[in-house]
Amino acid sequence: MKPATIHYAIRASNPEAHLFEVRCTVSTANPAGQRFALPAWIPGSYLIRDFARHIVSIRAESAGKAVTLTKIDKHTWQAIPTGEKRSSLTVSCEVYAWDLSVRGAHLDQTHAFFNGSSVFLRAVGHEHLPCLVDIQRPLGKRYHNWRVATALSPAEGERGTAHRHGFGTYRAASYAELIDHPVELGDFTLAAFSACGVPHEVVISGRHDCDLARLTGDLERLCAWQIRFFGEPAPMPSYLFLVTAVADGYGGLEHRASTALLCARNDLPYAGMKDTPERYVAFLGLCSHEYFHSWNIKRIRPDAFTAGNLDAENYTTLLWAFEGFTSYYDDLALLRCGLIDQKEWLRLVARTIGKVRRDPGRKRQTLAESSFDAWTKYYRPDENTPNAVVSYYAKGALVALALDLTLRAGTNGRVSLDDVMRALWLRHGERAGHDGVGVGDDDIRLLAEELSGLELEPFFAAAIHGTAELALAPLLKPFGIRLRRQKTSMTPTLGAKTSTDGNEVRLATVYQDSPAQAAGLSAGDLLVAIDGLRVTPDSLEPLLCRRHAGETIRVHAFRRDELMDFTVQLGSPASDKHKLVLKKKRNTLRDGWLQDAAKC
């Protein structure tokens, strides 16, 4: 008997109205009343997104007859009991798709993109069953040239099996795998390369003038380095970069064998481009980050993520390791594979140091707390976020740097964070013949101690569970690198972040314990005048630069529709810019760190 399979079909039914038509057929529906649910969140983005709100209509049928569906919560529907043990049930729905991001679904006449978590209903109780999905071409001549880009495998031997980049039937081993392969449809740009024998593709949607030879050549070096870093063979048989180029955008989301990326078209390399501009470095860093996740989060996972609960938050205190360590290695990989030089890498690290030390939230929230509270704080920023939250990405990257330096210095270069990551892969990674074991709260510390012989509990207590500044300067010194702090300008500060709209200046954030806060100014206040002179985006700096720290100024501002008067004692110029200076004298510890070829 052929094993039970969940059948899906999806078609861009009305691109002008941004509507997908999606069907899910269960051949052995629960006779007591089959339930269907859409995920509340998408793995990799830790916020409840309630994708079910985009379902505009839903219906069910069995043997050609309508079946009543009852909505039992915000994302779950239940069919009325049929009493038949082998009854087949099909649920059809229309899904609104107008989210131009890496997390949801987007559809118009130019292209279609979707993550399975935003369109494919889960047949509750059947999540373990294999899935077949028929990706259908939109109707009409204008879609004749559209192709399919996805890391899903064609369903060989099935009716309507898809050909490479073609419409038709694809397969997934389970529902979890089905929703872990985003899909792009359209008349996109396609390029290919091989890294360590693994075929890779790059798909770019949107208008662009990308130099594909430059991009694929650079990505080949980067991907090959990461595969060799963890050790061949790669955990995926192939890999796909899905890139959407827009006027201004930035973001990425990792998947098992692909990544969805959003970038500004000017971030991409162009024919004749010299050197490696900062914007392109940022894009390569994004690619590096998401590719590193193929190991560190997709296959090496926290305990909390092994259950795969898609209906509610999955809390963990370890995002500092899975996102922060990945943020450390994304740019370090660019350096080690030769895409950037040491000077550029040190600039990127210095910028991260400045970013962390600029926000007062680092003094209030630990990295463990930041990880746990991602669902309610990090992904829901407001005007007070810089005062209350520390980024597990940025500070997590600095903790990775500090731990790497601590291990290397403490063992005279014998053990490094590289060894810890590879050991995590061997002991906890989901790979061929190995299901993977979730990482517990203390596992990384215990593994680092085992490999190095060092006592690291004080380091982890301070860096992960404390709020004290990371002592980076003394850690960098044995490696011949000096950390310097610089003033960004000589202008005294209000202690607030501003935003502009036309000719108006508004306070976006008032920093904790700042002159502005002490004076009573608040986020949202519209600055009108300083000492009787009008404030505009062009005049604010000149009005302040003639003053000195400690001087008192009179500020008029609108709060809502009320004009208010404040007396502000200006603070010292901001000194949140940092610079890492490399000593020219040869340093064997530094060479083993920055020139480490991943022990290939």
Side-chain angles (χ1 to χ4, degrees):
M1 179 181 294
K2 197 172 183 178
T5 303
I6 308 298
H7 290 260
Y8 292 89
I10 184 168
R11 180 170 64 90
S13 58
N14 192 340
E16 293 81 6
H18 321 301
L19 292 175
F20 283 107
E21 181 182 358
V22 188
R23 298 195 307 274
C24 173
T25 300
V26 184
S27 58
T28 55
N30 186 343
Q34 179 64 50
R35 291 188 178 188
F36 297 87
L38 204 63
W41 64 289
I42 180 170
S45 184
Y46 311 109
L47 178 69
I48 297 298
R49 299 192 180 275
D50 292 330
F51 293 115
R53 63 194 171 96
H54 296 304
I55 293 181
V56 297
S57 69
I58 187 169
R59 64 188 186 279
E61 64 177 40
S62 180
K65 296 181 180 180
V67 174
T68 300
L69 286 176
T70 301
K71 194 171 187 179
I72 60 175
D73 61 33
K74 62 183 179 179
H75 56 232
T76 308
W77 292 260
Q78 182 167 342
I80 61 170
T82 63
E84 300 179 17
K85 294 183 179 180
R86 301 292 297 177
S87 63
S88 176
L89 182 65
T90 297
V91 174
S92 302
C93 58
E94 282 186 304
V95 180
Y96 181 71
W98 197 236
D99 176 15
L100 187 59
S101 75
V102 298
R103 300 174 298 270
H106 187 264
L107 168 64
D108 62 15
Q109 305 95 309
T110 66
H111 89 125
F113 170 82
F114 61 85
N115 284 287
S117 53
S118 61
V119 295
F120 293 135
L121 288 165
R122 182 175 90 252
V124 178
H126 300 284
E127 294 90 344
H128 63 288
L129 293 178
C131 302
L132 293 176
V133 53
D134 181 14
I135 302 176
Q136 302 173 358
R137 185 188 301 275
L139 300 178
K141 293 183 179 179
R142 72 186 306 163
Y143 307 109
H144 178 73
N145 293 326
W146 276 28
R147 295 179 290 175
V148 178
T150 181
L152 281 168
S153 299
E156 297 179 4
E158 296 290 336
R159 182 179 178 182
T161 296
H163 299 290
R164 189 172 181 81
H165 305 125
F167 290 88
T169 305
Y170 292 81
R171 65 173 174 81
S174 63
Y175 181 80
E177 183 178 317
L178 174 69
I179 65 170
D180 208 8
H181 296 281
V183 177
E184 173 73 24
L185 311 175
D187 189 13
F188 45 72
T189 301
L190 175 65
F193 64 92
S194 178
C196 294
V198 177
H200 289 63
E201 290 184 339
V202 179
V203 164
I204 306 177
S205 298
R207 299 180 182 181
H208 66 89
D209 61 352
C210 180
D211 181 349
L212 294 175
R214 170 72 184 272
L215 178 61
T216 55
D218 290 345
L219 288 178
E220 179 182 352
R221 294 175 67 177
L222 173 63
C223 295
W225 185 88
Q226 292 199 18
I227 291 171
R228 290 168 182 152
F229 176 84
F230 283 101
E232 298 184 64
M236 57 288 201
S238 62
Y239 195 86
L240 173 64
F241 291 91
L242 288 174
V243 182
T244 300
V246 294
D248 186 25
Y250 179 87
L253 189 63
E254 70 276 2
H255 297 277
R256 291 183 64 81
S258 62
T259 179
L261 305 170
L262 184 71
C263 74
R265 58 180 57 91
N266 290 335
D267 294 346
L268 298 171
Y270 55 88
M273 185 179 77
K274 297 180 180 179
D275 302 321
T276 309
E278 185 176 337
R279 293 180 68 110
Y280 183 43
V281 170
F283 177 73
L284 288 174
L286 177 63
C287 294
S288 181
H289 184 97
E290 306 307 338
Y291 197 75
F292 200 85
H293 272 318
S294 300
W295 292 268
N296 194 37
I297 198 63
K298 297 309 299 183
R299 293 172 174 86
I300 309 170
R301 297 178 294 176
D303 268 336
F305 288 2
T306 56
N309 181 5
L310 295 169
D311 295 323
E313 297 88 345
N314 291 208
Y315 293 103
T316 177
T317 61
L318 292 174
L319 291 181
W320 55 268
F322 290 94
E323 292 293 354
F325 282 19
T326 301
S327 296
Y328 171 63
Y329 277 104
D330 56 21
D331 289 333
L332 185 59
L334 300 183
L335 168 66
R336 288 183 175 175
C337 75
L339 292 176
I340 61 175
D341 60 20
Q342 291 185 2
K343 182 179 180 181
E344 174 64 13
W345 184 74
L346 291 173
R347 183 189 70 81
L348 294 172
V349 174
R351 187 173 65 182
T352 301
I353 294 172
K355 179 180 179 181
V356 172
R357 293 187 175 179
R358 180 168 57 246
D359 291 344
R362 74 190 190 282
K363 299 178 181 179
R364 293 189 161 196
Q365 187 186 51
T366 70
L367 274 181
E369 292 168 342
S370 177
S371 299
F372 193 87
D373 291 340
W375 300 89
T376 56
K377 291 188 176 182
Y378 187 82
Y379 278 91
R380 288 181 174 172
D382 58 28
E383 66 283 347
N384 195 52
T385 292
N387 292 324
V389 173
V390 66
S391 168
Y392 52 75
Y393 285 90
K395 188 178 178 182
L398 296 185
V399 167
L401 168 66
L403 179 57
D404 201 1
L405 296 174
T406 298
L407 292 171
R408 290 176 184 273
T411 63
N412 197 28
R414 179 179 57 85
V415 176
S416 70
L417 188 58
D418 299 353
D419 299 298
V420 175
M421 296 306 301
R422 285 189 278 264
L424 282 170
W425 174 237
L426 292 174
R427 299 188 188 185
H428 294 268
E430 178 188 326
R431 57 193 193 283
H434 194 287
D435 292 333
V437 179
V439 177
D441 285 354
D442 293 325
D443 285 346
I444 296 175
R445 174 182 64 82
L446 293 173
L447 186 53
E449 288 181 335
E450 175 190 333
L451 294 173
S452 67
L454 302 176
E455 169 56 53
L456 296 172
E457 188 167 4
F459 174 92
F460 278 81
I464 308 303
H465 302 285
T467 57
E469 297 282 20
L470 293 172
L472 293 176
L475 288 174
L476 288 163
K477 189 175 180 180
F479 294 81
I481 299 174
R482 182 181 301 170
L483 174 61
R484 293 178 178 174
R485 191 167 186 174
Q486 301 173 316
K487 294 185 183 299
T488 52
S489 74
M490 297 306 295
T491 301
T493 181
L494 292 171
K497 181 180 179 181
T498 61
S499 64
T500 61
D501 183 9
N503 214 32
E504 296 181 339
V505 178
R506 195 176 296 273
L507 298 183
T509 294
V510 173
Y511 291 114
Q512 184 72 25
D513 300 325
S514 67
Q517 186 184 71
L521 284 159
S522 300
D525 289 351
L526 177 65
L527 299 184
V528 176
I530 291 178
D531 287 339
L533 296 175
R534 184 183 179 188
V535 173
T536 68
D538 293 330
S539 71
L540 180 58
E541 175 77 10
L543 286 172
L544 294 176
C545 73
R546 291 171 171 77
R547 310 290 186 175
H548 300 284
E551 280 191 57
T552 298
I553 60 172
R554 188 180 185 186
V555 176
H556 283 88
F558 273 112
R559 180 171 299 169
R560 299 179 294 277
D561 61 344
E562 300 178 25
L563 183 64
M564 303 183 71
D565 189 353
F566 303 90
T567 300
V568 182
Q569 186 177 28
L570 294 172
S572 300
S575 56
D576 53 15
K577 185 177 181 180
H578 295 74
K579 186 175 182 180
L580 293 174
V581 181
L582 192 69
K583 292 183 178 180
K584 294 183 179 180
K585 186 178 179 180
R586 182 175 175 81
N587 184 297
T588 55
L589 272 179
R590 184 177 70 221
D591 292 343
W593 169 37
L594 301 186
Q595 297 176 15
D596 189 337
K599 299 181 180 178
C600 298

